[in-house]
Amino acid sequence: MTRTAFVTGATAGIGEATVRALVASGWRCVATGRRKERLDALVGDLGADKVHPAVFDVRDEAAMDAAIADLPDGFADIDLLVNNAGLAQGLSPAQEADLDDWQTMIDTNVTAMVRLTRKLLPGLIERKGAIIAIGSVAGSYIYPGGNVYAGSKAFANHFTLALRADLHGTGVRVTSIEPGMVETEFTTVRTGSRQKSDEFYAGTHPMTGEDIASTIRWIAELPAHLNVNRIELMPVTQDFAGFRVARD
Ligand code: NDP
Ligand code: 8X3
């Protein structure tokens, strides 16, 4: 039987690669994002029988409700929720950061994720489905300028693990995927500059959206009795050493 995934943030990066990987393995996908033309292109590439485009801003609860209510036959019974949509804005130290940037990250990475999860949970329980969330190494290891992004991803990592506890006995599988550097549009969005993004990844051999997508697909297709609780991935060139001291 064809299974259906609901993948947020499918207009770019990890989410787009995830839709492509899942469809290649026979899944149907609800693909979400604000950029309609990107979702239309995905439907054009993969087929309207495989991809349903749901264009909405995840911060808009009414739009989220309408997108869920409007799911057509064949896409309405969700077996897998991929909580992927998210962003960082800015790298300024907390004392200089823009409060609007902080609010955008909280609204997107925290509020929208928990809202969508809560709304889809009854169906996921009914079908003994799965939730895979994209947290981040930024939720475990601190770097300067990470502040609210790091906090939002610590929330994502822990909310996902907490879901596992609440869903104990339901048969729903829950996984927190926590990647390090993945070259997507993430750093262009964070810095507002494609050039800064190119400089950030230059020479680092970062992971790709496809690397994370193949991990998502692997986890989604494991036998029903097996749960990967959390998985942390980094490119070989990145590590987690971070202690610093300030001297007089
Ligand atoms: P991209 O910028 O390439 O993709 C982000 C996706 O999120 C886009 O599809 C975007 O769609 C969607 N999105 C952002 N804000 C909204 C919104 N308000 N409403 C709807 N959709 C939204 O970045 P990545 O693929 O790298 O990021 C995906 C996830 O992975 C994020 O949660 C990020 O925090 C996480 N992550 C990324 C890492 C990296 O190094 N790249 C490392 C660890 C975690 P649109 O703009 O069309 O709305
Ligand atoms: C972003 C991961 O390593 O670029 O979530 O900060 S990193």
Side-chain angles (χ1 to χ4, degrees), residues 135-138 143 149 153 179-182 186-187 190 200-201 238:
S136 171
V137 296
Y143 56 82
Y149 177 70
K153 286 298 171 175
M181 289 168 71
V182 188
F186 177 83
T187 300
R190 179 175 226 172
F200 178 72
Y201 295 114
Q238 186 180 27

Short mmCIF file of all heavy atoms in Angstrom, two decimals, residues 135-138 143 149 153 179-182 186-187 190 200-201 238, ligand 2:
data_model
loop_
_atom_site.label_atom_id
_atom_site.label_comp_id
_atom_site.label_asym_id
_atom_site.label_seq_id
_atom_site.Cartn_x
_atom_site.Cartn_y
_atom_site.Cartn_z
N GLY A 135 15.98 18.55 14.04
CA GLY A 135 16.52 19.45 15.06
C GLY A 135 17.85 19.98 14.54
O GLY A 135 17.98 20.31 13.36
N SER A 136 18.86 20.02 15.39
CA SER A 136 20.17 20.47 14.93
C SER A 136 21.22 20.22 16.00
O SER A 136 20.90 20.19 17.20
CB SER A 136 20.13 21.98 14.65
OG SER A 136 21.44 22.48 14.41
N VAL A 137 22.47 20.09 15.56
CA VAL A 137 23.57 20.08 16.53
C VAL A 137 23.61 21.39 17.31
O VAL A 137 24.13 21.44 18.42
CB VAL A 137 24.94 19.85 15.85
CG1 VAL A 137 25.01 18.48 15.19
CG2 VAL A 137 25.26 20.95 14.84
N ALA A 138 23.04 22.45 16.71
CA ALA A 138 23.00 23.74 17.41
C ALA A 138 22.18 23.67 18.69
O ALA A 138 22.32 24.52 19.57
CB ALA A 138 22.44 24.83 16.48
N TYR A 143 27.42 27.77 19.84
CA TYR A 143 28.42 28.61 19.14
C TYR A 143 27.97 30.06 19.21
O TYR A 143 26.78 30.34 19.33
CB TYR A 143 28.64 28.14 17.69
CG TYR A 143 27.40 28.08 16.82
CD1 TYR A 143 26.90 29.22 16.20
CD2 TYR A 143 26.76 26.87 16.59
CE1 TYR A 143 25.78 29.15 15.39
CE2 TYR A 143 25.63 26.79 15.79
CZ TYR A 143 25.14 27.94 15.18
OH TYR A 143 24.03 27.88 14.39
N TYR A 149 18.33 30.76 17.80
CA TYR A 149 18.27 29.59 16.89
C TYR A 149 18.64 28.33 17.67
O TYR A 149 17.95 27.31 17.61
CB TYR A 149 19.19 29.78 15.69
CG TYR A 149 19.18 28.55 14.79
CD1 TYR A 149 18.05 28.24 14.04
CD2 TYR A 149 20.27 27.68 14.73
CE1 TYR A 149 18.01 27.09 13.25
CE2 TYR A 149 20.24 26.54 13.95
CZ TYR A 149 19.11 26.25 13.21
OH TYR A 149 19.06 25.11 12.43
N LYS A 153 16.28 25.05 18.51
CA LYS A 153 16.62 23.68 18.08
C LYS A 153 16.81 22.76 19.28
O LYS A 153 16.55 21.56 19.19
CB LYS A 153 17.86 23.72 17.18
CG LYS A 153 17.54 24.28 15.79
CD LYS A 153 16.52 23.39 15.09
CE LYS A 153 15.98 23.95 13.81
NZ LYS A 153 15.09 23.03 13.09
N PRO A 179 21.31 17.42 12.50
CA PRO A 179 22.45 17.61 11.60
C PRO A 179 23.32 18.80 11.97
O PRO A 179 22.86 19.78 12.56
CB PRO A 179 21.81 17.87 10.23
CG PRO A 179 20.32 17.74 10.42
CD PRO A 179 20.07 17.91 11.88
N GLY A 180 24.58 18.72 11.55
CA GLY A 180 25.47 19.88 11.53
C GLY A 180 25.35 20.55 10.17
O GLY A 180 24.27 20.60 9.58
N MET A 181 26.49 21.02 9.64
CA MET A 181 26.46 21.84 8.41
C MET A 181 25.95 21.09 7.19
O MET A 181 26.55 20.12 6.75
CB MET A 181 27.88 22.32 8.10
CG MET A 181 28.42 23.36 9.06
SD MET A 181 30.19 23.62 8.81
CE MET A 181 30.18 24.46 7.24
N VAL A 182 24.85 21.59 6.65
CA VAL A 182 24.29 21.05 5.42
C VAL A 182 24.21 22.23 4.44
O VAL A 182 23.59 23.26 4.77
CB VAL A 182 22.85 20.52 5.63
CG1 VAL A 182 22.35 19.81 4.38
CG2 VAL A 182 22.76 19.62 6.86
N PHE A 186 19.94 27.55 3.72
CA PHE A 186 19.91 27.93 5.14
C PHE A 186 20.78 29.15 5.46
O PHE A 186 20.32 30.11 6.09
CB PHE A 186 20.37 26.71 5.97
CG PHE A 186 20.45 26.94 7.45
CD1 PHE A 186 19.33 26.83 8.25
CD2 PHE A 186 21.67 27.25 8.05
CE1 PHE A 186 19.41 27.03 9.62
CE2 PHE A 186 21.76 27.44 9.42
CZ PHE A 186 20.62 27.33 10.21
N THR A 187 22.04 29.14 5.01
CA THR A 187 22.94 30.24 5.38
C THR A 187 22.68 31.49 4.55
O THR A 187 22.92 32.61 5.00
CB THR A 187 24.41 29.76 5.31
OG1 THR A 187 24.55 28.66 6.22
CG2 THR A 187 25.40 30.85 5.70
N ARG A 190 19.96 32.91 6.53
CA ARG A 190 20.46 33.40 7.83
C ARG A 190 21.20 34.73 7.70
O ARG A 190 21.07 35.62 8.54
CB ARG A 190 21.39 32.35 8.45
CG ARG A 190 21.97 32.78 9.77
CD ARG A 190 22.78 31.69 10.42
NE ARG A 190 22.42 31.60 11.82
CZ ARG A 190 22.82 30.66 12.65
NH1 ARG A 190 23.60 29.70 12.24
NH2 ARG A 190 22.44 30.65 13.92
N PHE A 200 30.93 30.69 3.62
CA PHE A 200 30.80 29.86 4.83
C PHE A 200 31.08 28.39 4.52
O PHE A 200 31.74 27.69 5.30
CB PHE A 200 29.38 30.03 5.40
CG PHE A 200 29.09 29.20 6.63
CD1 PHE A 200 29.67 29.51 7.85
CD2 PHE A 200 28.23 28.11 6.57
CE1 PHE A 200 29.40 28.75 8.99
CE2 PHE A 200 27.96 27.35 7.70
CZ PHE A 200 28.55 27.67 8.92
N TYR A 201 30.59 27.92 3.38
CA TYR A 201 30.74 26.49 3.06
C TYR A 201 32.03 26.19 2.27
O TYR A 201 32.39 25.01 2.15
CB TYR A 201 29.53 25.99 2.27
CG TYR A 201 28.23 26.03 3.06
CD1 TYR A 201 27.20 26.89 2.71
CD2 TYR A 201 28.05 25.22 4.18
CE1 TYR A 201 26.01 26.94 3.43
CE2 TYR A 201 26.87 25.26 4.93
CZ TYR A 201 25.86 26.13 4.54
OH TYR A 201 24.70 26.17 5.27
N GLN A 238 33.64 19.05 10.35
CA GLN A 238 33.09 19.85 11.46
C GLN A 238 33.26 19.04 12.75
O GLN A 238 33.14 17.82 12.72
CB GLN A 238 31.60 20.11 11.20
CG GLN A 238 30.93 21.05 12.20
CD GLN A 238 29.44 21.27 11.89
OE1 GLN A 238 28.78 20.43 11.30
NE2 GLN A 238 28.92 22.41 12.29
C1 8X3 B 2 22.53 24.59 11.69
C2 8X3 B 2 23.71 23.72 11.92
O1 8X3 B 2 26.21 23.61 12.15
O2 8X3 B 2 25.33 25.25 10.55
O3 8X3 B 2 21.43 24.01 12.33
O4 8X3 B 2 25.07 25.62 12.90
S1 8X3 B 2 25.15 24.62 11.89
#
